């Protein structure tokens, strides 16, 4: 039985991590206990933990005393401090992205976390549509990987390092990092910066990542193309949740909750397996740093 402390009871913790933990507990009653829910806004923590038996605290340091493992879902300004403290106390940690508020802080915290039991919460690695596309892909090396991240009305200046990071990290996960120089083009469209990144991997895959925070729709689409074959996934939590491989079409259930459509249940399972020593600590903060550096902050 792993006692989990959830630090931060805001939007993402409430809508994704907490329900995924409850679901895991329901299906594997002996595997985990949500021992503490912590938020500096105690009312928020109370509202989330109500009725589950978890301790409710407003001090994250105190919450660590009640935990065998930690999920940190706090603002990026606090994430490095929580991560360093967990590492010092040898507490396994699932840390939310971004790794920190700035690139230099991200570099510093990754250096400090060397050897620690930490997984970065890059949930596209566990997205069920991406997972199915990867299964079809198998050993095929795509000639082209194109990922398009589209959003509506996302004007916040930190969109690129805080949200764009997901698709850059995903491109590296699926095809590899640049083998040589990366091309980058930024331009302003409809009130926000749109960014195009292009690179070629050591295996010869041409990677195109397009990040469009004000395109006018919410969608994440992954396309892979090789000689005589192609596939595509469209995220279920933002889009219609479809995977196409050649002329096979696989739709995902529309009635799944968003945390399941996003793969947070699979991420929770992977984190718990790593805590038990039965799985890898992946994605690692060091791998996420590669994407953070490509974005420059
Ligand atoms: N992986 C994803 O797809 C994804 C999506 C959204 C957000 N996130 C990440 O999750 C984290 C939280 O985002 P959010 O949207 O839930 O933000 P939020 O503002 O809704 O929640 C953050 C919570 O942390 C609490 N908090 C702040 N300082 C604290 C402290 N000292 N002690 C205890 N609690 C404290 C706040 O009161 C708040 O409730 C961020 O790092 C964000 O980047 C990830």
């Amino acid at each position: 039985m792993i006692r989990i402390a959830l630090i931060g009871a805001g939007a993402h913790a409430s809508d994704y991590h907490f329900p995924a933990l409850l679901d895991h507990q329901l299906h594997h009653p002996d595997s985990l206990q949500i021992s503490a829910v912590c938020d500096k806004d105690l009312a928020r923590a109370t509202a989330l933990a109500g009725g589950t038996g978890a301790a409710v605290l407003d001090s994250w340091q105190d919450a660590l005393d009640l935990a065998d493992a930690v999920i940190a879902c706090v603002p990026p300004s606090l994430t490095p401090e929580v991560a360093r403290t967990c590492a010092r106390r040898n507490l396994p940690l699932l840390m939310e992205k971004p790794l920190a508020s700035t690139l230099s802080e991200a570099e510093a915290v990754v250096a400090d976390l060397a050897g620690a039991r930490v997984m970065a919460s890059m949930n596209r690695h566990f997205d069920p549509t991406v997972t199915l596309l990867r299964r079809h892909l198998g050993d095929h090396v795509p000639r082209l990987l194109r990922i398009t991240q589209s959003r509506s009305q996302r004007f916040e200046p930190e969109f690129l390092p805080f949200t764009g990071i997901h698709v850059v990290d995903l491109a590296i996960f699926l095809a590899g990092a640049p083998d040589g120089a990366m091309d980058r083009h930024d331009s302003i469209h409809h009130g926000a910066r749109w960014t195009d990144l292009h690179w070629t991997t050591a295996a010869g895959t041409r990677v195109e990542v397009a990040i469009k925070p004000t395109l006018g729709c919410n969608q994440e689409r992954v396309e892979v193309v090789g000689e005589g074959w192609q596939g595509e996934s469209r995220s279920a939590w933002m889009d219609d949740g479809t995977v196409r491989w050649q002329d096979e079409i696989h739709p995902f259930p529309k009635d799944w909750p968003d945390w399941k459509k996003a793969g947070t249940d699979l991420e929770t399972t992977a984190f718990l397996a790593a805590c038990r020593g039965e799985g890898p600590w992946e994605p690692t903060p060091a791998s996420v740093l590669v994407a953070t550096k490509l974005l420059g902050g």
Side-chain angles (χ1 to χ4, degrees):
M1 172 82 76
I2 299 172
R3 296 172 307 149
I4 305 267
L6 180 61
I7 315 289
H12 192 58
S14 305
D15 295 344
Y16 290 84
H17 289 297
F18 192 76
L21 285 169
L22 283 182
D23 181 72
H24 195 95
Q25 201 174 25
L26 186 69
H27 292 98
H28 310 277
D30 298 330
S31 70
L32 79 88
Q33 177 199 358
I34 307 172
S35 56
V37 174
C38 166
D39 200 291
K40 69 175 186 182
D41 178 343
L42 204 53
R44 210 174 268 183
T46 307
L48 187 59
T52 64
V56 174
L57 302 103
D58 58 6
S59 155
W60 62 267
Q61 291 91 343
D62 289 349
L64 302 190
D65 291 335
L66 304 175
D68 303 315
V70 176
I71 298 178
C73 199
V74 292
S77 55
L78 181 60
T79 303
E81 190 186 343
V82 174
R84 287 190 178 95
T85 307
C86 288
R88 265 198 309 276
R89 296 176 60 160
N90 197 25
L91 278 173
L93 170 68
L94 178 63
M95 74 188 283
E96 265 303 340
K97 60 81 220 173
L99 302 170
S101 303
T102 66
L103 174 56
S104 58
E105 287 168 22
E107 286 174 320
V109 73
V110 167
D112 290 346
L113 294 179
R117 293 185 290 166
V118 190
M119 182 184 286
S121 181
M122 302 304 292
N123 45 7
R124 276 35 166 205
H125 291 230
F126 301 97
D127 180 311
T129 62
V130 172
T131 303
L132 181 58
L133 185 66
R134 281 185 70 213
R135 206 172 301 144
H136 281 299
L137 203 50
D139 293 333
H140 292 78
V141 177
R143 292 190 174 171
L144 173 71
L145 165 70
R146 182 187 291 130
I147 305 185
T148 311
Q149 181 183 54
S150 311
R151 292 289 190 280
S152 174
Q153 310 277 333
R154 295 292 295 268
F155 298 106
E156 70 271 24
E158 65 275 12
F159 182 87
L160 197 59
F162 285 16
T163 303
I165 181 78
H166 275 300
V167 284
V168 180
D169 170 76
L170 179 60
I172 296 170
F173 175 57
L174 292 176
D179 181 37
M182 178 187 78
D183 301 323
R184 173 173 177 156
H185 180 70
D186 293 283
S187 50
I188 302 297
H189 294 282
H190 305 282
R193 177 171 49 158
W194 292 17
T195 300
D196 289 290
L197 306 175
H198 293 179
W199 70 81
T200 303
T201 69
T205 301
R206 185 65 177 166
V207 175
E208 300 179 0
V209 177
I211 301 168
K212 302 172 191 291
T214 52
L215 182 64
C217 64
N218 291 312
Q219 192 178 73
E220 283 186 16
R221 192 165 75 223
V222 178
E223 297 161 78
V224 282
V225 186
E227 177 67 43
W229 55 267
Q230 54 186 297
E232 178 189 292
S233 70
R234 294 155 72 113
S235 59
W237 51 282
M238 279 226 146
D239 197 356
D240 65 359
T242 301
V243 173
R244 293 166 195 267
W245 183 260
Q246 300 290 64
D247 44 14
E248 236 178 78
I249 300 179
H250 182 97
F252 279 74
K254 301 267 180 264
D255 58 352
W256 278 5
D258 279 351
W259 52 266
K260 193 171 172 66
K261 287 178 176 170
T264 316
D265 52 341
L266 303 178
E267 180 183 57
T268 304
T269 301
F271 176 59
L272 291 167
C275 290
R276 291 192 304 267
E278 295 167 2
W281 292 99
E282 288 173 359
T284 65
S287 70
V288 178
L289 185 59
V290 176
T292 309
K293 284 180 174 168
L294 286 186
L295 281 173

